[in-house]
Amino acid sequence: EEVADDSEHVLAEPALEVVLAASEEAADMQVVVHIDRSLGLLMAVSVKVGSTIAALKRELARMDFTGQTNPEDIALSLGGSGGSDAPLDDATVLSRANAELEVCMPPD
């Protein structure tokens, strides 16, 4: 009987992991984008877990009430949150580990 219980648990655990992974993917997360840390200027943006930098840049451009910002004009880095000042690639996937970013100079 213990063997049957163990096999049930073994079967149930991967299914639970899939459910947790699916709910994690569907969940929203907050990304903090520091525009100017020294002045305390920042924006908090809600995105889906697993969104890319490109998707975040599109959302930031959409949020510009002047309508003058294009996603291509925005460069984001890990900056003062312990990372590099180098711009992140648009294909970089957002996660809770990189949910605090800084506006930086775009590459030439």
Side-chain angles (χ1 to χ4, degrees), residues 32-37 40-43 100-104:
V32 174
V33 178
H34 294 274
I35 299 163
D36 187 328
R37 257 184 213 271
L41 295 174
L42 60 87
M43 294 177 72
E100 190 170 351
L101 302 172
E102 245 177 64
V103 172
C104 65

Side-chain angles (χ1 to χ4, degrees), residues 3 9-10 14 16 18 22 35 45 66 82 97:
V3 173
H9 287 112
V10 170
L16 179 60
V18 169
I35 299 163
V45 182
T66 69

Side-chain angles (χ1 to χ4, degrees), residues 3-107:
V3 173
D5 286 344
D6 287 344
S7 65
E8 286 176 17
H9 287 112
V10 170
L11 293 175
E13 288 175 14
L16 179 60
E17 289 174 13
V18 169
V19 169
L20 291 174
S23 66
E24 178 79 5
E25 285 177 19
D28 284 345
M29 61 179 266
Q30 290 289 316
V31 177
V32 174
V33 178
H34 294 274
I35 299 163
D36 187 328
R37 257 184 213 271
S38 65
L39 296 176
L41 295 174
L42 60 87
M43 294 177 72
V45 182
S46 182
V47 297
K48 296 284 184 203
V49 171
S51 293
T52 62
I53 291 291
L56 175 61
K57 288 166 52 171
R58 284 191 300 273
E59 182 62 16
L60 289 169
R62 188 194 66 73
M63 293 170 70
D64 176 17
F65 68 92
T66 69
Q68 306 243 343
T69 303
N70 294 312
E72 315 68 67
D73 300 332
I74 302 169
L76 301 169
S77 73
L78 294 174
S81 60
S84 166
D85 287 333
L88 295 167
D89 187 87
D90 282 354
T92 301
V93 175
L94 294 167
S95 68
R96 286 177 173 77
N98 62 0
E100 190 170 351
L101 302 172
E102 245 177 64
V103 172
C104 65
M105 295 300 296

